Amino acid sequence: MTTAIDSSTQQKIDRWLSGNYDADTKAAIQNMMDSGSSTDLIDSFYKDLEFGTGGLRGIIGVGSNRMNRYTVGAATQGLANYLNAAFPHEQIKVAIAHDSRRMSPEFARIVADIFSANGMVVYLFKELRPTPELSFAIRHLGCHSGVVVTASHNPPEYNGYKAYWTDGGQVVAPHDKNIIAEVNKIQSIDDIKFDGVPERIHMIGEEVDDAYVKLVKANSINPDAIARQSGMKIVFTPIHGTGITLVPRVLKELGFTSVHVVKEQAVPDGNFPTVSYPNPEEREAMHLALELAKSIDADLVMATDPDADRVGAGARNHHGQFELLNGNQMASLIIYYLLKAWKDAGKLTGKEFVAKTIVTTDLIDKMCEQQGVKCYNTLTGFKYIAEVIRELEGKEQFIGGGEESYGYLIGDFVRDKDAIASCAIIAELTAYAKDNGKSLFDLLMEMYMESGFYYESLVSLTKKGKEGAEQIQQMMADFRANPPKEIAGVPVVRMDDYKQLKRTNVQTGETTDIEAGRMGIESSNVLQFFTADGSKISARPSGTEPKIKFYVSVTEPLGSKEEFDAVYGQLKEKVKRIIEALNLK
């Protein structure tokens, strides 16, 4: 069935057919026109691929709504124009990296050419590298900006790119909106300077690797425990991505001698042939790693996503079965280990801090409170954590941080989530546990016994199309107009509205301000409800997908390891009641 093409879409198609686009692009458009189906043609041209606050992301192909040399070119030219305006009379330097996806090397070269054509010095990684290393390279090389070509853990047909600022963090206000405005000004490909200046492009690689790995290794707290447990069996998979470049090297240099890489997923491949979705948050993506772990009786399993900024991990539980830890559990374990180590070393002076997002477990807040360490909460997105680190640089010392979506950071030499450094610390804390006759899971239970058993669940509702978007907006409007006084029989004591930046005592109606302009906080369409028994429910519409996400967190004390299963069952039942009470379906 052929769908009628509206005039705006047809104008875009005609512009591409008549403009200075290459012959292959025009031929591909003509093929779509001749195919008899207008669906692909419309989807490729009905809008421009949006340069959002984080950069670009889209399906690879021809058209204004696809990732190709022209959409990448327009985004890069807009960014270059903004950099030239923001840093007049300076020799601007930029760093560029790419992951293992289809077209990633080609797009990275196009970005390098355009920056160089705009008078900038370019440092281009000659081969694929992890996103956190790009963040590190920006500061290490004194760059003003950086770009990594990646679509993170999206399906194989996608690619994208993320833009970074001088501090190595992804761009935040006001630069994000200003860059978008410059990108939107590019109305013709004739405005894009595609012809690179080779002498301005410098290839980088091993020397930056060495500097980065040195700092990752410096995060190590218990080298003696690693030495004693050097033969601990670790299974690692990069899921066909960039993790292969540095994770095995870092583990080896730390002293681990029994690291087993999943061979079927070791070679970088943008088609991700062994998984349906290259995301370590999905159990299916870690299936091969778990099988290998069972066969060799491993102590630890780890998997990084294609650009190696997220890591999933698992270990045997108290029933001897391999269990994957979720992002809240692993973020908490990392902070638990770091806080204990800093305290034992006498390094807690009152000026240290941890940072996490508002939808990440409050167990981290509780542990920080117990150790007298500040915990800053930011909006969802690691760029906000990076913003806090930047604002406090020279005043307070960052210990570590993380978010529930499997992203963690240890130390401040990187300003984005870092799966390389995370793999190193996760392996170390597993060795530390084993050195004390325990497993990673034992450490988890001890943490819960000290600070409370917190359990989190995510409910993601997909509402497609215009009608779906309206339903999501209506859900948020209804919550604001009639906030629940109780959820599953438990009184709601507080509501935080990040859109209005207001905090409400639900029992009295009294409101106070959530500080506008507080580090990592700005107006955002997020609502949080806190109940009398310590539960937290967060509602957050996705900014990029037709989804609304509900983050449910519940807690109970854990008296002993023997009570773990019973309390776990109580918490899961409590989450189930909350989901039913809020009719989240």
Side-chain angles (χ1 to χ4, degrees):
M1 178 178 166
T2 302
T3 307
I5 300 175
D6 66 77
S7 59
S8 172
T9 302
Q10 189 61 57
Q11 283 175 6
K12 288 184 188 293
I13 296 167
D14 293 342
R15 238 186 347 259
W16 279 58
L17 286 171
S18 61
N20 290 325
Y21 295 84
D22 65 273
D24 288 345
T25 293
K26 292 180 178 181
I29 296 169
Q30 193 62 52
N31 285 340
M32 281 195 284
M33 293 171 69
D34 295 342
S35 70
S37 171
S38 57
T39 305
D40 286 346
L41 190 63
I42 291 170
D43 198 39
S44 298
F45 283 97
Y46 83 97
K47 66 174 183 176
D48 291 337
L49 187 64
E50 183 181 359
F51 190 98
T53 54
L56 286 177
R57 189 167 297 185
I59 293 170
I60 301 164
V62 300
S64 62
N65 189 36
R66 294 287 184 260
M67 279 288 294
N68 52 63
R69 68 178 276 108
Y70 302 109
T71 53
V72 167
T76 307
Q77 186 62 53
L79 176 54
N81 290 348
Y82 182 67
L83 286 167
N84 275 322
F87 301 102
H89 317 302
E90 288 188 43
Q91 176 58 71
I92 296 168
K93 298 189 285 185
V94 293
I96 302 165
H98 69 81
D99 69 4
S100 61
R101 286 180 176 273
R102 290 190 295 118
M103 294 297 294
S104 281
E106 292 85 348
F107 288 148
R109 187 71 208 196
I110 289 165
V111 173
D113 284 342
I114 293 169
F115 279 137
S116 71
N118 281 274
M120 299 173 189
V121 173
V122 178
Y123 297 101
L124 174 64
F125 278 98
K126 59 188 176 184
E127 296 169 319
L128 78 169
R129 285 296 187 276
T131 287
E133 189 175 0
L134 181 277
S135 172
F136 166 76
I138 291 168
R139 296 172 71 241
H140 179 68
L141 298 169
C143 294
H144 297 74
S145 181
V147 167
V148 59
V149 178
T150 180
S152 190
H153 51 270
N154 274 49
E157 62 268 25
Y158 283 82
N159 212 324
Y161 90 42
K162 294 190 283 193
Y164 290 78
W165 203 242
T166 55
D167 63 333
Q170 290 185 55
V171 290
V172 293
H175 306 300
D176 50 2
K177 304 287 195 303
N178 294 343
I179 293 167
I180 291 168
E182 286 295 336
V183 172
N184 291 339
K185 287 179 188 176
I186 308 295
Q187 294 299 309
S188 166
I189 61 163
D190 298 330
D191 297 334
I192 304 169
K193 299 176 182 178
F194 281 110
D195 296 327
V197 181
E199 54 267 30
R200 290 195 185 125
I201 300 174
H202 306 279
M203 307 306 289
I204 57 174
E206 292 81 7
E207 66 283 7
V208 180
D209 294 347
D210 292 345
Y212 169 71
V213 168
K214 183 178 179 182
L215 288 171
V216 171
K217 288 163 61 182
N219 280 335
S220 180
I221 297 160
N222 279 302
D224 292 346
I226 293 175
R228 287 189 291 269
Q229 303 299 330
S230 60
M232 182 183 85
K233 294 177 184 175
I234 301 171
V235 168
F236 169 69
T237 174
I239 317 181
H240 306 289
T242 60
I244 194 65
T245 61
L246 288 177
V247 173
R249 172 184 169 179
V250 165
L251 294 176
K252 181 180 179 182
E253 291 192 20
L254 282 170
F256 293 104
T257 59
S258 188
V259 178
H260 304 260
V261 177
V262 177
K263 291 177 183 175
E264 300 92 329
Q265 297 176 327
V267 177
D269 187 338
N271 294 308
F272 309 113
T274 64
V275 295
S276 57
Y277 193 43
N279 184 358
E281 294 180 61
E282 304 288 337
R283 188 177 183 89
E284 181 265 343
M286 294 183 70
H287 171 72
L288 290 172
L290 287 168
E291 288 300 310
L292 177 57
K294 288 172 189 171
S295 72
I296 65 169
D297 192 23
D299 297 280
L300 175 65
V301 184
M302 296 188 291
T304 52
D305 69 343
D307 68 322
D309 61 353
R310 299 171 197 247
V311 57
R316 288 195 186 276
N317 62 21
H318 53 305
H319 298 300
Q321 300 163 329
F322 271 98
E323 184 165 332
L324 297 178
L325 303 181
N326 65 37
N328 282 302
Q329 291 173 315
M330 188 49 73
S332 299
L333 266 176
I334 290 170
I335 299 303
Y336 176 68
Y337 180 66
L338 292 173
L339 288 173
K340 276 193 173 302
W342 280 60
K343 183 182 180 183
D344 291 346
K347 290 169 63 179
L348 294 182
T349 66
K351 290 190 174 182
E352 292 73 33
F353 73 96
V354 163
K356 71 176 189 68
T357 65
I358 58 174
V359 298
T360 301
T361 179
D362 289 344
L363 172 56
I364 293 174
D365 300 79
K366 182 77 174 292
M367 292 189 296
C368 287
E369 183 185 340
Q370 289 172 327
Q371 299 292 357
V373 171
K374 293 177 192 170
C375 182
Y376 293 96
N377 280 267
T378 75
L379 292 178
T380 304
F382 229 89
K383 63 182 181 179
Y384 295 111
I385 292 176
E387 184 182 12
V388 170
I389 297 171
R390 186 186 72 236
E391 291 296 320
L392 293 175
E393 200 161 10
K395 303 170 198 166
E396 297 179 24
Q397 188 168 5
F398 178 68
I399 293 176
E403 59 183 4
E404 45 71 43
S405 54
Y406 290 61
Y408 323 112
L409 180 61
I410 302 95
D412 66 357
F413 55 91
V414 167
R415 300 298 170 88
D416 204 349
K417 46 191 178 286
D418 185 348
I420 311 301
S422 298
C423 283
I425 207 75
I426 292 166
E428 179 174 324
L429 67 89
T430 306
Y432 166 80
K434 190 166 187 176
D435 201 43
N436 286 280
K438 302 168 187 172
S439 69
L440 189 64
F441 214 81
D442 287 325
L443 219 57
L444 183 80
M445 291 191 284
E446 287 181 8
M447 175 179 68
Y448 289 153
M449 288 164 61
E450 289 179 30
S451 305
F453 193 161
Y454 285 72
Y455 172 67
E456 287 80 24
S457 184
L458 173 65
V459 178
S460 188
L461 304 181
T462 300
K463 307 276 187 181
K464 291 187 177 178
K466 181 173 179 287
E467 184 181 340
E470 290 170 353
Q471 287 176 354
I472 289 171
Q473 292 308 314
Q474 191 59 51
M475 288 175 80
M476 295 298 285
D478 290 344
F479 275 129
R480 285 190 170 93
N482 299 293
K485 289 286 199 303
E486 56 88 23
I487 298 175
V490 183
V492 174
V493 295
R494 187 178 114 203
M495 179 179 82
D496 288 359
D497 185 343
Y498 282 88
K499 188 174 184 180
Q500 310 295 336
L501 292 171
K502 293 288 184 187
R503 175 166 292 158
T504 303
N505 181 321
V506 176
Q507 306 298 311
T508 66
E510 180 188 357
T511 64
T512 54
D513 289 340
I514 298 172
E515 306 156 57
R518 192 180 91 199
M519 294 177 301
I521 298 293
E522 58 189 13
S523 178
S524 182
N525 192 13
V526 181
L527 281 172
Q528 291 190 306
F529 301 99
F530 299 82
T531 66
D533 65 351
S535 298
K536 178 176 77 173
I537 300 94
S538 309
R540 174 178 166 263
S542 171
T544 56
E545 301 172 286
K547 290 180 178 178
I548 181 168
K549 295 180 178 181
F550 291 88
Y551 305 78
V552 181
S553 175
V554 294
T555 183
E556 290 283 349
L558 180 65
S560 67
K561 292 180 182 180
E562 289 71 32
E563 296 173 25
F564 180 89
D565 290 340
V567 175
Y568 194 20
Q570 291 172 28
L571 292 171
K572 285 198 275 193
E573 184 59 35
K574 191 184 279 193
V575 166
K576 184 182 174 186
R577 289 198 303 270
I578 289 171
I579 290 170
E580 288 173 352
L582 292 173
N583 197 27
L584 302 184
K585 58 185 178 182

